[in-house]
Amino acid sequence: MEEDFEILISGFLESEVGISEHFISEKLAHHLRANLLSLHDRKLMPMAGIGNVRAHALDKTIRNDRIYWFDRNNHDPYENEFLDQIDLFIKYLNLTCYTGIKAYEFHYALYEPGSFYVKHKDQFNNDQGRMFSLITYLNDTWVEKDGGELLIYQSTAEQKIAPTLCKTIFFKSNQLAHEVLETKKARLSITGWLKRE
């Protein structure tokens, strides 16, 4: 477990983006994937907006994915197992890097075929709480022609990341612009932010 935490942290320190192939187990990823698909089937995943509660808008020319926020109040065993892993990662991150993370927020994200999210940063202009972005992918099969890669604009280069099962991405929310390229098939993930408060 700590090995995967170190992989994320060292990747971030060395190249601004940490990538772990096994931050969560395949078994957990499949359960979370089933949760997401069930939510979508029950029409519980609305279109995602841009901005936060103080400046929220829907704009399908910027992003057109569907999301569902979750936390421990759902009492879902698999979501809680995922959040247990997040709690352990935050504890390790604060202990080793003195980041002062005290909270987090996560949602499921579904990009249907033809969906995308244009270039943006994750920290709001009117709220500096988000410190780190963390994305975990739930796609059981993925090939290059499926599209939907995460394109990250690093300070010296661009990095295109395939959204394969269990892969987790970690980067600074206010530092790196990124986009989700148009997907050709349903693209599933959990996206969230580690926060100061």
Side-chain angles (χ1 to χ4, degrees):
M1 179 172 20
E2 289 187 358
E3 180 180 349
D4 286 298
F5 297 168
E6 276 294 334
I7 288 171
L8 287 179
I9 293 168
S10 62
F12 165 74
L13 293 174
E14 291 168 10
S15 62
E16 303 175 308
V17 182
I19 303 175
S20 168
E21 300 290 340
H22 304 288
F23 182 76
I24 62 172
S25 69
E26 284 192 23
K27 182 178 179 181
L28 178 57
H30 284 296
H31 284 302
L32 293 167
R33 174 185 172 84
N35 278 6
L36 189 160
L37 292 173
S38 175
L39 289 164
H40 182 250
D41 288 344
R42 290 181 284 147
K43 303 191 184 312
L44 295 175
M45 298 187 71
M47 293 297 291
I50 55 174
N52 58 10
V53 292
R54 285 182 265 173
H56 186 266
L58 291 175
D59 188 338
K60 293 183 180 181
T61 66
I62 294 177
R63 69 182 296 188
N64 50 10
D65 56 317
R66 296 182 174 276
I67 64 170
Y68 179 89
W69 295 94
F70 68 85
D71 57 31
R72 293 189 184 276
N73 291 327
N74 285 2
H75 303 292
D76 181 273
Y78 306 116
E79 292 169 7
N80 284 348
E81 185 178 345
F82 174 81
L83 295 175
D84 287 344
Q85 182 76 340
I86 296 299
D87 285 335
L88 290 171
F89 179 55
I90 288 173
K91 183 177 180 181
Y92 189 83
L93 188 63
N94 286 340
L95 182 66
T96 58
C97 301
Y98 309 103
T99 53
I101 300 300
K102 296 181 179 178
Y104 52 74
E105 55 187 3
F106 283 93
H107 64 62
Y108 293 110
L110 170 64
Y111 287 77
E112 296 171 300
S115 297
F116 56 87
Y117 193 164
V118 301
K119 185 177 179 181
H120 66 283
K121 290 184 180 177
D122 283 347
Q123 193 177 82
F124 300 119
N125 292 331
N126 62 5
D127 183 349
Q128 308 300 308
R130 290 178 174 178
M131 292 294 295
F132 297 99
S133 301
L134 195 143
I135 307 161
T136 298
Y137 295 112
L138 306 176
N139 305 294
D140 54 358
T141 60
W142 203 266
V143 294
E144 187 174 355
K145 67 181 178 61
D146 294 331
E149 296 94 340
L150 180 69
L151 179 60
I152 298 183
Y153 297 87
Q154 295 167 259
S155 55
T156 58
E158 297 176 3
Q159 184 175 8
K160 191 185 289 187
I161 301 170
T164 52
L165 188 70
C166 300
K167 183 183 291 181
T168 295
I169 315 301
F170 175 68
F171 58 92
K172 198 80 178 289
S173 297
N174 68 343
Q175 185 176 343
L176 296 183
H178 54 286
E179 64 180 297
V180 176
L181 302 179
E182 182 178 344
T183 186
K184 307 301 182 184
K185 62 181 282 188
R187 177 191 189 272
L188 287 64
S189 65
I190 292 175
T191 300
W193 298 273
L194 310 185
K195 305 173 72 176
R196 286 180 178 164
E197 55 186 40

